[in-house]
Amino acid sequence: MDEKKAAKRDEVNPVGYHDGEHTKNVRDWKEVYDFLIDDSTLIPASPDPDCQELRTITNPWPENPSQFRVVCQEYAREMEKLAFKLMEIICLSLGLPGGRLKGYFEEQTSFLRINHYPPCPFSDLTLGCGRHKDFDFLTVLAQDDVGGLEVKRNGKWVPVKPDPTALIINVGDICQVWSNERYKSAEHRAVVNGEKERYSIALFLVPSHHVMVKPLEELVSEEDPPKYLPYNWGKFYATRNRSDYKKQNVDNIQIHDFRVPN
Ligand code: OGA
Ligand code: NI
């Protein structure tokens, strides 16, 4: 616990160890360690739209276990390659050049999250991770053999069969917006287990802080107008980070806030 506390994240540095995350204003039954793919990443200093100040964030690596940092970084590099490959394939599937989106990631804010869900004696009263859609372009998720991830399909929660040899790919909100809803982000949650602890590791692929996220020009037309107003990724991220710590009186920011009414 001392090592974890030394690598603790706070409202200024949104990476590192955290055990009090709130998803949609409800506290999750989990602890996480978040780390950036590119150590030293620029993000807005404040969610305030008028504030232009930027901040460099760096990973607070724990000293122990001594191999932790190297192993995490090696894993991140491999998953990053896979994520960018998948991005290329998604571009091709949309009739775009494979490298169409790559430029938005030059100063990527992508990060990985190690989730640890301790066993919970009241597992029917709480969730490891509340229902949500990932705010990124896509997520690459690895998990152990315990199980707990559920995906919403036709209004029902469907458990995902755990397979430690497989990776789960989630379409995120940024993919939904860029593709003007040809892709839809997947709603999911993680339930907790009464007896067993569970681990999962997610890579969240997200662009540079200055990118304005909006439906791609090639994918909109008079018949198919943009379904979203542009939003600044860095400001969205900074706003969302603020709601991760405590219950707020307002709902946290969602792409729905930028949806153009039908
Ligand atoms: C997440 C997430 C699910 C899981 O971290 O965004 O949805 O199975 N995790 O741990
Ligand atoms: Ni998720």
Side-chain angles (χ1 to χ4, degrees):
M1 191 41 92
D2 288 343
E3 290 285 348
K4 288 176 181 176
K5 279 198 184 134
K8 212 162 166 42
R9 130 183 178 182
D10 54 39
E11 291 189 40
V12 175
N13 209 41
V15 283
Y17 177 75
H18 187 37
D19 67 354
E21 186 162 84
H22 288 66
T23 299
K24 293 188 195 287
N25 290 329
V26 178
R27 187 164 168 173
D28 295 330
W29 188 273
K30 71 177 180 199
E31 53 178 0
V32 305
Y33 179 79
D34 288 354
F35 64 100
L36 300 154
I37 293 189
D38 298 332
D39 214 332
S40 282
T41 293
L42 276 176
I43 60 159
S46 143
D48 177 356
D50 297 325
C51 170
Q52 299 298 314
E53 199 192 326
L54 297 176
R55 168 181 297 144
T56 305
I57 48 173
T58 52
N59 295 324
W61 293 107
E63 268 169 47
N64 290 299
S66 59
Q67 291 297 301
F68 185 75
R69 178 180 184 154
V70 224
V71 172
C72 284
Q73 288 175 326
E74 190 181 341
Y75 179 78
R77 271 192 297 275
E78 294 305 318
M79 289 303 122
E80 181 191 15
K81 280 187 221 159
L82 174 65
F84 281 120
K85 189 102 223 163
L86 289 166
M87 188 168 83
E88 266 182 64
I89 295 168
I90 290 174
C91 285
L92 295 174
S93 77
L94 291 166
L96 304 167
R100 171 65 175 85
L101 299 170
K102 195 70 212 271
Y104 298 136
F105 292 81
E106 263 159 28
E107 293 173 84
Q108 65 172 327
T109 51
S110 302
F111 65 99
L112 280 86
R113 164 168 292 179
I114 304 176
N115 288 300
H116 175 223
Y117 303 100
C120 178
F122 304 102
S123 48
D124 53 338
L125 295 180
T126 188
L127 288 168
C129 185
R131 70 176 178 89
H132 66 281
K133 296 173 180 180
D134 293 344
F135 60 18
D136 56 355
F137 178 72
L138 65 79
T139 308
V140 180
L141 185 84
Q143 59 168 331
D144 59 19
D145 60 5
V146 175
L149 176 64
E150 297 185 342
V151 187
K152 194 78 165 273
R153 179 177 250 181
N154 302 329
K156 285 209 183 90
W157 288 109
V158 181
V160 176
K161 195 167 149 250
D163 179 351
T165 68
L167 295 166
I168 291 156
I169 312 300
N170 284 336
V171 168
D173 286 339
I174 295 180
C175 186
Q176 174 165 327
V177 173
W178 273 342
S179 71
N180 208 28
E181 294 191 355
R182 285 175 182 75
Y183 279 94
K184 291 272 182 77
S185 56
E187 189 172 32
H188 55 282
R189 65 179 191 180
V191 299
V192 283
N193 193 291
E195 282 104 51
K196 289 190 203 153
E197 62 175 353
R198 171 172 179 258
Y199 286 92
S200 70
I201 311 175
L203 175 149
F204 301 101
L205 190 68
V206 268
S208 317
H209 74 85
H210 49 80
V211 168
M212 294 300 293
V213 182
K214 58 175 189 194
L216 298 170
E217 284 141 38
E218 303 93 311
L219 301 179
V220 298
S221 61
E222 228 162 276
E223 303 82 67
D224 194 2
K227 293 184 166 64
Y228 294 88
L229 299 172
Y231 65 90
N232 177 277
W233 163 245
K235 290 292 179 193
F236 186 99
Y237 180 55
T239 309
R240 183 67 78 79
N241 276 333
R242 227 182 18 179
S243 72
D244 280 352
Y245 296 87
K246 47 185 178 296
K247 251 188 149 89
Q248 310 264 338
N249 292 325
V250 290
D251 286 348
N252 65 10
I253 189 168
Q254 302 286 343
I255 51 166
H256 185 256
D257 301 331
F258 303 94
R259 184 71 164 73
V260 177
N262 280 328

